[in-house]
Amino acid sequence: MEKRKMLMVDDEERMRKLIKDFLTRHDFQVVEAGDGEAAIDIFFNDKNIDLVILDVMMPGMSGIQVCKEIRSFSNVPILFLTAKVQEADKLT
């Protein structure tokens, strides 16, 4: 059985490593991106991404922008990681 592939996008290497270590122990293949631009490149060059785990607050291209770009071409599930707690942020 082929492993499910996840794209983990976060500008903090420590957070990417933590999530990658957890998911690989549970038999997932994890591809990492350290910023939004790299995430877009990886996503559109790899047609086998089953899930995107996406940090909202990143320098340059935000997670929201990455999500909008992906959504214009795909309905792949996206999980957001964020420290934001304001109602407006949740609605966005």
Side-chain angles (χ1 to χ4, degrees), residues 47-71:
K47 303 301 181 202
N48 298 314
I49 302 291
D50 298 306
L51 172 70
V52 178
I53 301 175
L54 184 58
D55 181 19
V56 173
M57 297 184 294
M58 294 184 289
M61 186 179 219
S62 75
I64 300 298
Q65 292 170 302
V66 173
C67 179
K68 287 178 181 179
E69 186 71 25
I70 290 172
R71 277 289 166 258

Side-chain angles (χ1 to χ4, degrees), residues 5-78:
K5 188 182 289 188
M6 309 209 177
L7 173 57
M8 174 62 215
V9 187
D10 198 308
D11 59 317
E12 292 185 40
E13 185 177 356
R14 182 179 53 94
M15 183 62 75
R16 289 194 319 267
K17 181 177 177 2
L18 175 73
I19 292 170
K20 182 178 182 176
D21 288 349
F22 176 81
L23 290 173
T24 53
R25 272 188 257 129
H26 289 85
D27 212 29
F28 293 96
Q29 180 181 358
V30 179
V31 180
E32 297 179 61
D35 60 50
E37 291 85 3
I40 294 297
D41 288 343
I42 291 168
F43 185 82
F44 287 106
N45 287 313
D46 187 339
K47 303 301 181 202
N48 298 314
I49 302 291
D50 298 306
L51 172 70
V52 178
I53 301 175
L54 184 58
D55 181 19
V56 173
M57 297 184 294
M58 294 184 289
M61 186 179 219
S62 75
I64 300 298
Q65 292 170 302
V66 173
C67 179
K68 287 178 181 179
E69 186 71 25
I70 290 172
R71 277 289 166 258
S72 66
F73 294 96
S74 174
N75 286 324
V76 67
I78 298 174

